[in-house]
PDB file of all heavy atoms in Angstrom:
ATOM      1  N   ALA A 249     126.549  64.885  59.123  1.00  0.00           N
ATOM      2  CA  ALA A 249     125.549  64.932  58.061  1.00  0.00           C
ATOM      3  C   ALA A 249     124.949  63.547  57.879  1.00  0.00           C
ATOM      4  O   ALA A 249     125.620  62.527  58.065  1.00  0.00           O
ATOM      5  CB  ALA A 249     126.177  65.420  56.759  1.00  0.00           C
ATOM      6  N   ALA A 250     123.680  63.519  57.535  1.00  0.00           N
ATOM      7  CA  ALA A 250     122.997  62.245  57.303  1.00  0.00           C
ATOM      8  C   ALA A 250     121.946  62.441  56.225  1.00  0.00           C
ATOM      9  O   ALA A 250     121.437  63.540  56.010  1.00  0.00           O
ATOM     10  CB  ALA A 250     122.351  61.737  58.596  1.00  0.00           C
ATOM     11  N   GLY A 251     121.627  61.348  55.545  1.00  0.00           N
ATOM     12  CA  GLY A 251     120.628  61.409  54.484  1.00  0.00           C
ATOM     13  C   GLY A 251     121.275  61.339  53.119  1.00  0.00           C
ATOM     14  O   GLY A 251     122.200  60.534  52.898  1.00  0.00           O
ATOM     15  N   ALA A 252     120.835  62.167  52.209  1.00  0.00           N
ATOM     16  CA  ALA A 252     121.313  62.147  50.822  1.00  0.00           C
ATOM     17  C   ALA A 252     122.646  62.882  50.711  1.00  0.00           C
ATOM     18  O   ALA A 252     122.731  63.985  50.157  1.00  0.00           O
ATOM     19  CB  ALA A 252     120.273  62.770  49.906  1.00  0.00           C
ATOM     20  N   VAL A 253     123.684  62.276  51.262  1.00  0.00           N
ATOM     21  CA  VAL A 253     125.022  62.868  51.243  1.00  0.00           C
ATOM     22  C   VAL A 253     126.037  61.807  50.816  1.00  0.00           C
ATOM     23  O   VAL A 253     125.795  60.606  50.958  1.00  0.00           O
ATOM     24  CB  VAL A 253     125.420  63.435  52.628  1.00  0.00           C
ATOM     25  CG1 VAL A 253     124.519  64.594  53.014  1.00  0.00           C
ATOM     26  CG2 VAL A 253     125.385  62.347  53.699  1.00  0.00           C
ATOM     27  N   ARG A 254     127.164  62.287  50.320  1.00  0.00           N
ATOM     28  CA  ARG A 254     128.311  61.417  50.035  1.00  0.00           C
ATOM     29  C   ARG A 254     129.461  61.905  50.894  1.00  0.00           C
ATOM     30  O   ARG A 254     129.802  63.092  50.876  1.00  0.00           O
ATOM     31  CB  ARG A 254     128.661  61.457  48.552  1.00  0.00           C
ATOM     32  CG  ARG A 254     127.569  60.847  47.672  1.00  0.00           C
ATOM     33  CD  ARG A 254     127.928  60.938  46.196  1.00  0.00           C
ATOM     34  NE  ARG A 254     129.191  60.236  45.911  1.00  0.00           N
ATOM     35  CZ  ARG A 254     129.753  60.185  44.707  1.00  0.00           C
ATOM     36  NH1 ARG A 254     129.185  60.819  43.694  1.00  0.00           N
ATOM     37  NH2 ARG A 254     130.881  59.533  44.530  1.00  0.00           N
ATOM     38  N   HIS A 255     130.079  60.990  51.605  1.00  0.00           N
ATOM     39  CA  HIS A 255     131.079  61.385  52.596  1.00  0.00           C
ATOM     40  C   HIS A 255     132.231  62.170  51.978  1.00  0.00           C
ATOM     41  O   HIS A 255     132.619  63.230  52.509  1.00  0.00           O
ATOM     42  CB  HIS A 255     131.629  60.151  53.322  1.00  0.00           C
ATOM     43  CG  HIS A 255     132.644  60.502  54.366  1.00  0.00           C
ATOM     44  ND1 HIS A 255     132.304  60.997  55.613  1.00  0.00           N
ATOM     45  CD2 HIS A 255     134.012  60.474  54.338  1.00  0.00           C
ATOM     46  CE1 HIS A 255     133.400  61.241  56.304  1.00  0.00           C
ATOM     47  NE2 HIS A 255     134.449  60.934  55.562  1.00  0.00           N
ATOM     48  N   ASP A 256     132.794  61.679  50.917  1.00  0.00           N
ATOM     49  CA  ASP A 256     133.959  62.350  50.320  1.00  0.00           C
ATOM     50  C   ASP A 256     133.618  63.771  49.891  1.00  0.00           C
ATOM     51  O   ASP A 256     134.442  64.692  50.041  1.00  0.00           O
ATOM     52  CB  ASP A 256     134.477  61.546  49.126  1.00  0.00           C
ATOM     53  CG  ASP A 256     135.121  60.232  49.545  1.00  0.00           C
ATOM     54  OD1 ASP A 256     135.391  60.080  50.768  1.00  0.00           O
ATOM     55  OD2 ASP A 256     135.336  59.363  48.681  1.00  0.00           O
ATOM     56  N   GLU A 257     132.413  63.958  49.356  1.00  0.00           N
ATOM     57  CA  GLU A 257     132.016  65.301  48.919  1.00  0.00           C
ATOM     58  C   GLU A 257     131.853  66.236  50.113  1.00  0.00           C
ATOM     59  O   GLU A 257     132.292  67.397  50.068  1.00  0.00           O
ATOM     60  CB  GLU A 257     130.714  65.214  48.127  1.00  0.00           C
ATOM     61  CG  GLU A 257     130.864  64.543  46.767  1.00  0.00           C
ATOM     62  CD  GLU A 257     129.556  64.490  46.012  1.00  0.00           C
ATOM     63  OE1 GLU A 257     128.521  64.930  46.578  1.00  0.00           O
ATOM     64  OE2 GLU A 257     129.547  64.005  44.857  1.00  0.00           O
ATOM     65  N   VAL A 258     131.215  65.752  51.177  1.00  0.00           N
ATOM     66  CA  VAL A 258     131.035  66.589  52.360  1.00  0.00           C
ATOM     67  C   VAL A 258     132.380  66.939  52.977  1.00  0.00           C
ATOM     68  O   VAL A 258     132.630  68.086  53.363  1.00  0.00           O
ATOM     69  CB  VAL A 258     130.128  65.875  53.390  1.00  0.00           C
ATOM     70  CG1 VAL A 258     130.086  66.659  54.703  1.00  0.00           C
ATOM     71  CG2 VAL A 258     128.722  65.708  52.836  1.00  0.00           C
ATOM     72  N   ALA A 259     133.280  65.957  53.068  1.00  0.00           N
ATOM     73  CA  ALA A 259     134.602  66.215  53.650  1.00  0.00           C
ATOM     74  C   ALA A 259     135.376  67.230  52.813  1.00  0.00           C
ATOM     75  O   ALA A 259     136.055  68.120  53.355  1.00  0.00           O
ATOM     76  CB  ALA A 259     135.376  64.903  53.773  1.00  0.00           C
ATOM     77  N   ALA A 260     135.280  67.120  51.489  1.00  0.00           N
ATOM     78  CA  ALA A 260     135.989  68.067  50.615  1.00  0.00           C
ATOM     79  C   ALA A 260     135.407  69.466  50.749  1.00  0.00           C
ATOM     80  O   ALA A 260     136.160  70.468  50.814  1.00  0.00           O
ATOM     81  CB  ALA A 260     135.911  67.584  49.167  1.00  0.00           C
ATOM     82  N   LEU A 261     134.089  69.575  50.805  1.00  0.00           N
ATOM     83  CA  LEU A 261     133.456  70.876  51.003  1.00  0.00           C
ATOM     84  C   LEU A 261     133.870  71.485  52.340  1.00  0.00           C
ATOM     85  O   LEU A 261     134.152  72.681  52.432  1.00  0.00           O
ATOM     86  CB  LEU A 261     131.934  70.730  50.932  1.00  0.00           C
ATOM     87  CG  LEU A 261     131.321  70.457  49.562  1.00  0.00           C
ATOM     88  CD1 LEU A 261     129.859  70.046  49.721  1.00  0.00           C
ATOM     89  CD2 LEU A 261     131.435  71.698  48.674  1.00  0.00           C
ATOM     90  N   ALA A 262     133.907  70.661  53.373  1.00  0.00           N
ATOM     91  CA  ALA A 262     134.268  71.150  54.707  1.00  0.00           C
ATOM     92  C   ALA A 262     135.721  71.611  54.754  1.00  0.00           C
ATOM     93  O   ALA A 262     136.041  72.625  55.385  1.00  0.00           O
ATOM     94  CB  ALA A 262     134.024  70.056  55.737  1.00  0.00           C
ATOM     95  N   ALA A 263     136.592  70.860  54.098  1.00  0.00           N
ATOM     96  CA  ALA A 263     138.010  71.229  54.099  1.00  0.00           C
ATOM     97  C   ALA A 263     138.218  72.607  53.484  1.00  0.00           C
ATOM     98  O   ALA A 263     139.094  73.370  53.910  1.00  0.00           O
ATOM     99  CB  ALA A 263     138.823  70.183  53.340  1.00  0.00           C
ATOM    100  N   ASP A 264     137.407  72.928  52.491  1.00  0.00           N
ATOM    101  CA  ASP A 264     137.517  74.230  51.843  1.00  0.00           C
ATOM    102  C   ASP A 264     136.794  75.319  52.635  1.00  0.00           C
ATOM    103  O   ASP A 264     137.361  76.380  52.918  1.00  0.00           O
ATOM    104  CB  ASP A 264     136.940  74.134  50.429  1.00  0.00           C
ATOM    105  CG  ASP A 264     137.029  75.465  49.687  1.00  0.00           C
ATOM    106  OD1 ASP A 264     138.134  76.028  49.605  1.00  0.00           O
ATOM    107  OD2 ASP A 264     135.986  75.939  49.211  1.00  0.00           O
ATOM    108  N   ALA A 265     135.554  75.051  53.016  1.00  0.00           N
ATOM    109  CA  ALA A 265     134.726  76.092  53.626  1.00  0.00           C
ATOM    110  C   ALA A 265     135.113  76.412  55.065  1.00  0.00           C
ATOM    111  O   ALA A 265     134.899  77.536  55.529  1.00  0.00           O
ATOM    112  CB  ALA A 265     133.251  75.672  53.579  1.00  0.00           C
ATOM    113  N   LEU A 266     135.688  75.450  55.788  1.00  0.00           N
ATOM    114  CA  LEU A 266     135.984  75.637  57.215  1.00  0.00           C
ATOM    115  C   LEU A 266     137.477  75.696  57.496  1.00  0.00           C
ATOM    116  O   LEU A 266     137.914  75.452  58.624  1.00  0.00           O
ATOM    117  CB  LEU A 266     135.325  74.517  58.026  1.00  0.00           C
ATOM    118  CG  LEU A 266     133.789  74.564  58.000  1.00  0.00           C
ATOM    119  CD1 LEU A 266     133.201  73.222  58.404  1.00  0.00           C
ATOM    120  CD2 LEU A 266     133.262  75.665  58.910  1.00  0.00           C
ATOM    121  N   SER A 267     138.245  76.062  56.505  1.00  0.00           N
ATOM    122  CA  SER A 267     139.703  76.118  56.678  1.00  0.00           C
ATOM    123  C   SER A 267     140.131  77.259  57.584  1.00  0.00           C
ATOM    124  O   SER A 267     141.254  77.260  58.107  1.00  0.00           O
ATOM    125  CB  SER A 267     140.377  76.270  55.310  1.00  0.00           C
ATOM    126  OG  SER A 267     139.934  77.463  54.661  1.00  0.00           O
ATOM    127  N   GLY A 268     139.241  78.243  57.782  1.00  0.00           N
ATOM    128  CA  GLY A 268     139.606  79.391  58.599  1.00  0.00           C
ATOM    129  C   GLY A 268     139.408  79.195  60.086  1.00  0.00           C
ATOM    130  O   GLY A 268     139.707  80.102  60.880  1.00  0.00           O
ATOM    131  N   LEU A 269     138.927  78.048  60.503  1.00  0.00           N
ATOM    132  CA  LEU A 269     138.730  77.811  61.936  1.00  0.00           C
ATOM    133  C   LEU A 269     140.058  77.776  62.677  1.00  0.00           C
ATOM    134  O   LEU A 269     141.071  77.300  62.161  1.00  0.00           O
ATOM    135  CB  LEU A 269     138.008  76.481  62.151  1.00  0.00           C
ATOM    136  CG  LEU A 269     136.529  76.416  61.729  1.00  0.00           C
ATOM    137  CD1 LEU A 269     136.036  74.974  61.845  1.00  0.00           C
ATOM    138  CD2 LEU A 269     135.686  77.338  62.600  1.00  0.00           C
TER     139      LEU A 269
END
Side-chain angles (χ1 to χ4, degrees):
V253 295
R254 294 178 59 182
H255 181 78
D256 290 346
E257 290 181 357
V258 172
L261 288 168
D264 180 54
L266 294 161
S267 59
L269 290 173

